[in-house]
Amino acid sequence: MRFPVYLHETETGTYSGFVPDVMGCIFAGSTVDEALADAHDAISVHAEALYDHEMELPEAHTIQEHVGNEACEGGMWALVDVDLSKYDGKVVRINVTLPEHLLSRMDSYVEAHAEYGSRSGFIASMARKMLASA
């Protein structure tokens, strides 16, 4: 899942930021690349802690959904790809039959919304959302 992260350069020339979709998830580094690597680690550690406590995993939103957040001014946005599937338990391959037109529309949507990563990521994300609201 691709998480939007917000980072800025500090007064000392290092970088720090936070992950808007993961409450309390902050990161830092000497360079932008180091900060993004730390963001990846911070999201992974946070997801593992949620999993260990049998809590819901975070859902990634788009950068566009966060634009306008008052805490996100004067810095930059980036995407950090973190595989959260290992926290959902063992991955099981299934065979699903869908109408061709629906599958085509779904693939186009996933291509335009990189945060889902793949067709399977999209289906899993939609299932999580439906189950969370049930």
Side-chain angles (χ1 to χ4, degrees):
M1 186 174 296
R2 292 175 49 161
F3 284 90
V5 298
Y6 181 79
L7 66 157
H8 66 277
E9 187 172 0
T10 67
E11 292 176 6
T12 61
T14 61
Y15 293 85
S16 67
F18 67 98
V19 185
D21 294 319
V22 184
M23 186 180 290
C25 189
I26 59 173
F27 58 89
S30 297
T31 65
V32 171
D33 291 335
E34 285 181 15
L36 293 176
D38 191 50
H40 181 276
D41 293 344
I43 296 167
S44 295
V45 167
H46 191 87
E48 186 172 359
L50 291 173
Y51 177 76
D52 288 345
H53 290 91
E54 299 180 3
M55 298 171 72
E56 284 291 316
L57 294 173
E59 279 291 321
H61 295 87
T62 64
I63 291 173
Q64 187 63 40
E65 291 175 89
H66 294 293
V67 170
N69 180 338
E70 292 178 9
C72 304
E73 295 178 5
M76 63 187 103
W77 287 99
L79 291 171
V80 175
D81 195 13
V82 179
D83 181 10
L84 297 183
S85 64
K86 61 185 171 188
Y87 304 116
D88 275 342
K90 180 181 173 195
V91 175
V92 178
R93 185 174 191 87
I94 61 170
N95 185 14
V96 178
T97 304
L98 296 171
E100 184 177 3
H101 181 66
L102 177 61
L103 190 59
S104 176
R105 289 179 56 211
M106 184 172 30
D107 287 345
S108 294
Y109 188 85
V110 169
E111 187 176 318
H113 297 86
E115 65 270 17
Y116 295 110
S118 67
R119 182 188 294 161
S120 294
F122 174 77
I123 292 170
S125 179
M126 292 302 105
R128 282 187 203 100
K129 284 181 183 178
M130 292 302 295
L131 293 171
S133 67

